[in-house]
Amino acid sequence: MTAESFVTPRVADIVARTLHAHGVRHAFGVPGGEVVTLIDALQASGITFHLARHETSAAIMAAGASTISGNPELLVTTVGPGLANAVNGIADASQERIPLIVISGVVDRQTRARYTHQVIDHAQLLRPLVKASFEVEPEAVASTVARALAIATAESMGPVHLDLSPAVAVAFSSDTTVISPPAQFNAPASVTDPAVCYLTERIRTAERPLILAGFEAARTGAGQAVRRLAEMIGAPVLTTYKAKGIIPENHPLALGGAGLSPLADKVLLPLAQTADLVLMLGYDPIEMRLGWLDFVADREKLVDITRAVSDHGMHHAGARISADPKTLLQALNAMVTERKTWTGAEPSKAKLELDKLFSTRTAWGPHAIVDHLNRTAGDDSLVTVDSGAHRILLSQKWIAAKPLSLLQSAGFCTMNAALPLAIGAQVADPARRIFAVMGDGGLEMGIGELATVRDLDLPLTIVLFQDRSLALIAMKQASAGLLSAGVTLGETDFAAVARGFGGYGVNVENEDEFRRELEAAGKRKGFSLIACRFDASAYDDAF
């Protein structure tokens, strides 16, 4: 590096400083020769680069960090196979509405047209998955990066891709400006706003109002306003899985998450259909199962309140209010008067029925594991959960006290999400106790990330549901009258694997062992893996 570089920043330095100015503090990825200058610049700017073992896991780690920090976070990949490896994780960020910034190395422009080794069209590869794709050039570095960040963080949030070639990264930039984000103001809604007046009148005449809250409402801190409105008008609160805890789920009006469980749908869908007003607050139906495509026949009952652009045809609301749910509810709560609704006590009956359907059956098995974990985690911990049968059961039984305390891939439903989500969340919030809940199939997909947990010295507690089966797929085969095929897993000694990666590992087969190991894991410096062994038949008729 020449003396000039200490005076005139490299393009990579401007990229990194602009990212830092917009709140990016963490980068995840697997380095390659094409991105070494970028990684150097990130470290110098105050953005820590965290080495993952696979690029898809790195993307999901960034998603976990972003959800906790509230800021965009960064995925760094090398050219060609590095970016191609990340496609699943970038698709997950797209459907989970995560403002992921993806920067990939790319072959230098002067050789790209002639050269074929590791050369693919990055923008074309990611076209269906990202909101935009740009190549960074020396003449407009900060403007390009700031534009990418603005696009990523605009509702509906999502990933944006930047290509940065090695020659450009090391070039000295004549444009040395670092562009910071503009000050953001959400103009408060007035009690005289037409939307507030409209909703006030709709609520005044509703006899059976219902609230369906989604991720946007949880992420923007609308919980307190949602709770006050629900209590004022006696509206039961349903959520998507990602919005669980928007009001504490031990509240009499909280009916928990909806979206994947046929058992829960038998209770929640009739209740929603009985409602004469459904307020959909920051609700994104991407998380819901097919039964919720047109869950209310009379579209005039539905009022959609969101800043996001509607990109689906899953329901057709009679009214749509483009607003921040929290801001609008604060004005609405000033106008609404307390009312008695649902005179047949239908929400209370539904809550009792849900408790009965998902009650714990035996002293050991997936139901009991969720119960003990919920008690140990308490109100302040964070739990991530992987896709599979255990996720559906946990998402129904879990009693979330706070929003964004249960993280999962609910839109894309990709496997092997829980561990990288937990890593990203722990990096963003080191003081918090974090549990990663996984199935044996999911962990075996990304078991190399145990090395990432070790190297980052994270005190994660990994709770493994080991039933030696891809249980959810096996159940679907059985329900279709098909023979079981391709769903049986061998017996991996995960406790030994965890010890081989430098952590603590143990197998448990009863509630006393599990409770004892959960308590001990909270006092341990490194990571702990508790493999809970049971038979897959314990899931029969469970959800």
Side-chain angles (χ1 to χ4, degrees), residues 501-517:
F501 275 102
Y504 174 86
V506 64
N507 299 311
V508 301
E509 297 186 7
N510 62 64
E511 59 176 332
D512 289 335
E513 292 175 347
F514 183 51
R515 190 164 46 238
R516 185 169 60 249
E517 292 296 344

Side-chain angles (χ1 to χ4, degrees), residues 30 92 108 116 178 225 256-257 278 345 424 514 537 540:
V30 180
D92 184 73
D108 290 324
T116 56
V178 172
V278 179
F514 183 51
S537 62
D540 292 348

Side-chain angles (χ1 to χ4, degrees), residues 327-412:
T327 302
L328 186 69
L329 286 187
Q330 288 172 335
L332 181 62
N333 284 335
M335 295 292 291
V336 170
T337 56
E338 191 168 354
R339 301 191 58 236
K340 178 74 173 176
T341 58
W342 293 95
T343 55
E346 293 91 343
S348 298
K349 294 174 183 175
K351 191 173 182 70
L352 288 173
E353 181 63 18
L354 288 168
D355 289 343
K356 179 181 177 182
L357 286 171
F358 295 100
S359 62
T360 298
R361 307 164 170 186
T362 58
W364 182 246
H367 294 74
I369 294 168
V370 174
D371 284 342
H372 290 306
L373 178 60
N374 210 163
R375 284 193 286 269
T376 300
D379 293 349
D380 296 323
S381 298
L382 183 143
V383 173
T384 68
V385 63
D386 215 355
S387 293
H390 63 289
R391 172 197 163 212
I392 300 176
L393 181 63
L394 183 143
S395 294
Q396 294 300 146
K397 281 182 66 65
W398 192 262
I399 302 170
K402 298 178 180 179
L404 306 182
S405 60
L406 177 62
L407 305 187
Q408 55 189 288
S409 175
F412 204 48

